[in-house]
Amino acid sequence: MLEGSLLKQLVDGRAEPDTTPLNYGVYYKNTLVALCHALEDCILTSGSAPLVITAFQRGKWYLEEADRYSAIADKAQQIVIMAASEAGFHDHPTSQRQNVALVDLAPSDPVAEEWHLMILSPDYTAMVLCQELSVADYGPGGVPEHDLERKFYGFWTFDSALVSQTVELAIAHVGRYNSDLQAQLADQLTTLKQENPALQSDAPATVSNTVTQVVHYLQNSRNDLRGNLAFSLVEDLEQNLVSNELQAFLRMAQLVDFSDPINPLAASEVVSLLEMMGQLLDLPAWQLQRLRLAGMLHRIAPAPDLATLANDGPSCPLIPEVQALRLMPRLRAVAAIIAHQGERWDGSGYPAGLTGDAVPLESRMLSLVAEFQRRVAEARHGQDVADGNMAVLGEVLGTCQAEAGEQWDPKLVEILGLMVMGLQQGMSLPTIPTKITLGSGLLNPDVADQTSVFPAASEMLPR
């Protein structure tokens, strides 16, 4: 990371222990363009007037987007555009708007090597924070000839507190060039914090809509790659786009967990429990892979009100967050798992009222494990885990056993009992890889949607 860059300042200034992991990645410019367009366009529908701070490296890159920024200026409270000045930088009509401020970066300024987009308002926050790879980082092949194949290192997020922290750094950096603008931006930031002191109460509906928008833009960018002879790295570009479609959903799930003061570790603990149960069931690797993803994402689709739920068929429940997952063909099987996590063994659940073995195996596993984890988290909240955790596991297991045959698959409850016994005797939960990929055909929808992957309950006991 470049000394003096906003990315380096953010990383160096973060408080420990770090509660918001930064999911770093390498992004092609093609991916960043699609991602930023999606996040920018959400400003037009968010219903709030955000503070927007962006860095374009060079003035010519801003000029390519200046017409878009004119529409954004109609909605934004203030836009700040940082770039190394070039011909036309100050002359475009967007640059003349009252709520648009330009900052001419010095060529030696490390921020001139960065790509930023910060959107901060009480009800919609998003950020892209990246810097371009150095010539040495590109390796023997050197800097790509095609502009959209250039690479950037950094991360993107919806986390409001993180966006607010970075905006403060950006405002301080602006002060090196324009102290009056710095003071104006500081006042605007103070007002935003007064409207939402924590700046971390992200509305799930807003985030969900934004994620859907991001996925649409990334998919459209993938479609534009097909048959485009101008690119030399088409497969790499497409994989980068696909990876960020998945990351969009994972970031939304992360926000759901972070906003829960009682159960902020739900996703990671559910994934570990699913891994343990899947190993006891001797499930194949591809099925364990999609179970991990379902566990990570299971809280992005909250249980709907049964009284208002549409009369959907078992293959297409109209739950908005699940529909968003179905935008990715490779996640359709995961979407089905999450959609049916509200089914009950006795057929009285949602969305399709499936009974017994008709409920997909992974959905049966997810619903049981997620509810077990939730009850344990609530029971141990506010008590000394070291003293009472083992007893809590037994007590919560007992409630699940009492519901076997009605809400839960009895055979899965038996397996959960084996897991609890092992945990009480000192067994550790499996360590789950932090990197999730879509490779190796593990999430191939043609494989994942076959009914044969859902064994009957009588086939599930460990051999």
Side-chain angles (χ1 to χ4, degrees):
M1 297 180 191
L2 295 173
E3 284 296 334
S5 68
L6 295 186
L7 180 60
K8 185 71 161 61
Q9 291 179 56
L10 177 67
V11 172
D12 290 346
R14 305 194 74 213
E16 298 292 343
D18 190 359
T19 57
T20 309
L22 302 181
N23 299 300
Y24 298 109
V26 175
Y27 307 91
Y28 287 100
K29 181 176 178 179
N30 184 61
T31 298
L32 290 180
V33 169
L35 180 59
C36 288
H37 282 182
L39 298 177
E40 290 162 354
D41 281 6
C42 287
I43 295 173
L44 306 178
T45 58
S46 69
S48 62
L51 169 61
V52 181
I53 300 179
T54 182
F56 278 95
Q57 295 184 294
R58 297 172 57 182
K60 70 175 185 178
W61 306 129
Y62 154 68
L63 291 174
E64 291 184 359
E65 304 289 336
D67 290 339
R68 283 176 51 80
Y69 269 76
S70 179
I72 294 171
D74 290 337
K75 296 287 187 177
Q77 175 184 161
Q78 176 73 54
I79 298 177
V80 178
I81 297 167
M82 297 187 285
S85 182
E86 293 179 319
F89 184 50
H90 289 268
D91 299 332
H92 193 279
T94 300
S95 306
Q96 312 301 318
R97 300 193 58 153
Q98 186 174 6
N99 64 336
V100 176
L102 304 184
V103 177
D104 297 350
L105 297 177
S108 60
D109 191 330
V111 176
E113 300 297 325
E114 295 187 291
W115 180 321
H116 304 326
L117 172 65
M118 306 169 206
I119 304 169
L120 181 62
S121 73
D123 63 355
Y124 172 52
T125 61
M127 178 171 68
V128 174
L129 190 64
C130 294
Q131 59 186 231
E132 186 167 7
L133 270 60
S134 67
V135 174
D137 290 332
Y138 275 109
V143 180
E145 293 184 6
H146 199 294
D147 174 59
L148 293 179
E149 293 180 339
R150 290 160 49 213
K151 296 179 183 179
F152 295 75
Y153 174 77
F155 70 97
W156 63 277
T157 183
F158 297 119
D159 186 88
S160 315
L162 200 54
V163 177
S164 178
Q165 183 180 357
T166 311
V167 166
E168 291 181 2
L169 294 173
I171 291 174
H173 197 83
V174 167
R176 301 181 185 182
Y177 297 91
N178 188 331
S179 58
D180 290 339
L181 178 59
Q182 178 187 18
Q184 174 189 335
L185 295 174
D187 288 342
Q188 291 172 338
L189 180 58
T190 298
T191 300
L192 285 170
K193 288 184 175 181
Q194 290 172 345
E195 294 175 358
N196 182 358
L199 270 175
Q200 54 189 12
S201 59
D202 305 81
T206 300
V207 177
S208 177
N209 293 337
T210 303
V211 167
T212 302
Q213 179 96 313
V214 167
V215 173
H216 273 302
Y217 270 74
L218 294 174
Q219 289 186 333
N220 288 339
S221 188
R222 287 172 57 200
N223 292 335
D224 292 341
L225 287 175
R226 294 169 185 163
N228 192 328
L229 301 179
F231 295 105
S232 59
L233 302 172
V234 172
E235 290 186 5
D236 292 339
L237 291 170
E238 182 171 10
Q239 183 60 36
N240 201 237
L241 291 164
V242 169
S243 175
N244 279 277
E245 291 174 32
L246 174 58
Q247 290 302 319
F249 292 112
L250 293 175
R251 279 161 174 73
M252 181 166 68
Q254 186 181 57
L255 276 182
V256 173
D257 274 358
F258 284 165
S259 64
D260 187 341
I262 295 178
N263 196 10
L265 300 177
S268 60
E269 292 183 353
V270 166
V271 170
S272 293
L273 290 167
L274 284 172
E275 181 85 7
M276 179 183 286
M277 183 174 284
Q279 290 176 4
L280 288 172
L281 291 170
D282 198 23
L283 297 183
W286 60 265
Q287 203 166 9
L288 288 174
Q289 170 77 313
R290 72 182 190 185
L291 263 174
R292 294 186 195 112
L293 276 173
M296 290 179 179
L297 301 175
H298 77 282
R299 294 221 288 177
I300 71 174
D305 184 348
L306 293 179
T308 60
L309 189 68
N311 185 21
D312 305 317
S315 63
C316 188
L318 298 178
I319 302 170
E321 293 81 2
V322 174
Q323 294 297 88
L325 283 172
R326 287 197 174 97
L327 292 172
M328 289 184 66
R330 299 182 185 185
L331 287 186
R332 286 174 184 162
V334 174
I337 295 171
I338 295 173
H340 292 289
Q341 65 179 315
E343 305 284 2
R344 292 170 57 99
W345 184 254
D346 63 7
S348 63
Y350 64 86
L354 301 179
T355 303
D357 290 335
V359 182
L361 169 60
E362 293 102 322
S363 299
R364 283 178 262 156
M365 294 172 65
L366 175 61
S367 60
L368 174 59
V369 164
E371 180 62 13
F372 173 79
Q373 187 278 338
R374 186 191 67 78
R375 292 178 185 180
V376 170
E378 288 188 352
R380 71 188 181 194
H381 181 63
Q383 68 174 238
D384 292 330
V385 175
D387 295 335
N389 195 39
M390 294 301 103
V392 165
L393 292 177
E395 292 169 3
V396 174
L397 173 64
T399 65
C400 294
Q401 290 172 332
E403 297 162 346
E406 296 181 358
Q407 185 164 358
W408 316 119
D409 179 341
K411 298 299 182 183
L412 288 183
V413 174
E414 288 183 31
I415 294 174
L416 180 62
L418 295 177
M419 293 164 55
V420 169
M421 184 184 303
L423 292 171
Q424 290 174 328
Q425 294 175 357
M427 181 186 297
S428 298
L429 287 173
T431 300
I432 307 301
T434 58
K435 295 292 185 182
I436 294 295
T437 68
L438 296 176
S440 306
L442 297 182
L443 299 177
N444 187 326
D446 295 333
V447 173
D449 288 340
Q450 294 179 13
T451 56
S452 60
V453 304
F454 302 130
S458 58
E459 302 171 5
M460 294 190 316
L461 283 176
R463 294 181 175 83

